[in-house]
Amino acid sequence: MIQRHSIILWKKADTNNRNFDDIAKEAFATLNVLYDYPIECRPNYVTGFSKKDTKEIDWDFENFKKILVNGVNREGDEIFQDLGSTISMFSSLDEEKSFSFEMTVGNRDKRFYNSLVINIPLFFSLNEDRNSNFICEIFRKLVLNFNPFWGCVSNKVIARRYGEYLHNGIPTTIHWLNYWEKEIEAKIGSQRIQYLLEVAPNSNYENRILQLQNKAFDVESDKDLDYHKQVEHTLLL
């Protein structure tokens, strides 16, 4: 079975008094985390309407600001400043080995989130310890820089079963890696989280990041699926 994974981080809408430079600096610092890693995992190209429109990124802050300006949300000639900028990038011209990146920042409309989504290519299996450790390390650093209110590393096979990631501010399920702000943590309950750590010895909860096991869930493993159900039951999700 094909199992696609994504890093997903959601951040609440910005306040009206945040200026573009501050937003751009924070977004640049977040993505710049990836430049500590091999080139195969970095945003190296800006997505175009066709391959001939694809542009390689000369990575520095001033060039990144121009990408954000070009990504301002619009429809025709009408610009929607309150919805911020959405940019799409990818790591490699080899589609099968390319990580893809989509980021929305500067959104001030409370109906929507600022977000960062990184789609992990199929060849980069999260059922291998080395790759899982790599993504776990990146996830923790991105959370620290992007300051989301919620995030996860999603297995899309599992995610599709629930239809949405949050309902009334509470996660609809548990993922291999999870980030919860204080409000979500309080809704789930610190006692439940502590009990989970006691009964699930491979789990870890640090800086509000919950990691349930060393490797991502494998939906073809009965053991993993049973464990997933047990954790849901423990946390009453």
Side-chain angles (χ1 to χ4, degrees):
M1 181 183 296
I2 295 175
Q3 300 186 57
R4 297 185 183 276
H5 295 87
S6 299
I7 296 173
I8 303 174
L9 301 177
W10 286 353
K11 183 177 181 177
K12 292 178 180 176
D14 285 311
T15 56
N16 290 327
N17 59 359
R18 287 202 75 196
N19 65 54
F20 179 79
D21 268 12
D22 287 343
I23 292 167
K25 286 175 183 176
E26 184 177 79
F28 179 78
T30 299
L31 292 176
N32 199 51
V33 164
L34 300 167
Y35 278 77
D36 292 332
Y37 297 95
I39 192 170
E40 295 84 3
C41 309
R42 305 173 189 170
N44 298 312
Y45 300 90
V46 178
T47 304
F49 291 108
S50 65
K51 282 191 175 182
K52 67 178 182 179
D53 296 320
T54 296
K55 295 181 180 179
E56 191 167 359
I57 301 171
D58 185 5
W59 189 254
D60 65 27
F61 177 62
E62 292 303 320
N63 286 326
F64 178 73
K65 269 177 53 175
K66 293 175 184 176
I67 295 171
L68 277 186
V69 169
N70 291 334
V72 66
N73 279 287
R74 67 177 73 216
E75 186 173 325
D77 293 331
E78 186 176 1
I79 295 176
F80 301 98
Q81 294 285 1
D82 282 355
L83 298 182
S85 297
T86 298
I87 56 176
S88 179
M89 298 162 287
F90 60 97
S91 65
S92 173
L93 295 173
D94 184 343
E95 292 184 13
E96 292 185 358
K97 295 185 177 180
S98 184
F99 288 72
S100 65
F101 311 84
E102 185 167 301
M103 175 182 256
T104 296
V105 293
N107 166 58
R108 298 192 294 269
D109 189 325
K110 293 183 179 180
R111 296 174 299 171
F112 307 108
Y113 301 137
N114 292 300
S115 62
L116 173 62
V117 177
I118 301 176
N119 294 309
I120 300 165
L122 288 175
F123 92 95
F124 198 87
S125 172
L126 296 192
N127 296 130
E128 297 179 14
D129 285 332
R130 180 183 177 185
N131 292 344
S132 288
N133 291 338
F134 180 84
I135 292 300
C136 184
E137 181 179 314
I138 288 177
F139 181 79
R140 293 178 184 278
K141 290 183 178 181
L142 291 174
V143 164
L144 186 63
N145 282 271
F146 194 59
N147 297 312
F149 74 92
W150 172 86
C152 76
V153 174
S154 166
N155 180 319
K156 293 188 178 180
V157 175
I158 294 176
R160 279 196 297 266
R161 296 173 182 172
Y162 297 85
E164 57 185 341
Y165 287 105
L166 297 176
H167 184 72
N168 293 330
I170 299 176
T172 55
T173 188
I174 198 76
H175 303 273
W176 165 56
L177 278 174
N178 311 262
Y179 175 77
W180 303 323
E181 68 167 3
K182 288 183 178 179
E183 185 177 337
I184 294 175
E185 181 184 62
K187 288 180 178 179
I188 292 172
S190 58
Q191 289 183 330
R192 289 181 196 149
I193 296 171
Q194 184 57 45
Y195 179 67
L196 172 65
L197 298 177
E198 293 171 3
V199 299
N202 291 327
S203 62
N204 174 271
Y205 191 59
E206 185 178 359
N207 297 323
R208 295 199 295 281
I209 294 175
L210 176 64
Q211 180 178 354
L212 289 179
Q213 57 186 25
N214 293 332
K215 295 185 291 187
F217 288 128
D218 180 357
V219 297
E220 294 184 323
S221 164
D222 290 339
K223 180 180 177 182
D224 278 8
L225 292 179
D226 287 344
Y227 179 43
H228 181 261
K229 288 179 182 178
Q230 290 168 10
V231 173
E232 279 190 328
H233 179 73
T234 300
L235 297 178
L236 299 182
L237 296 177

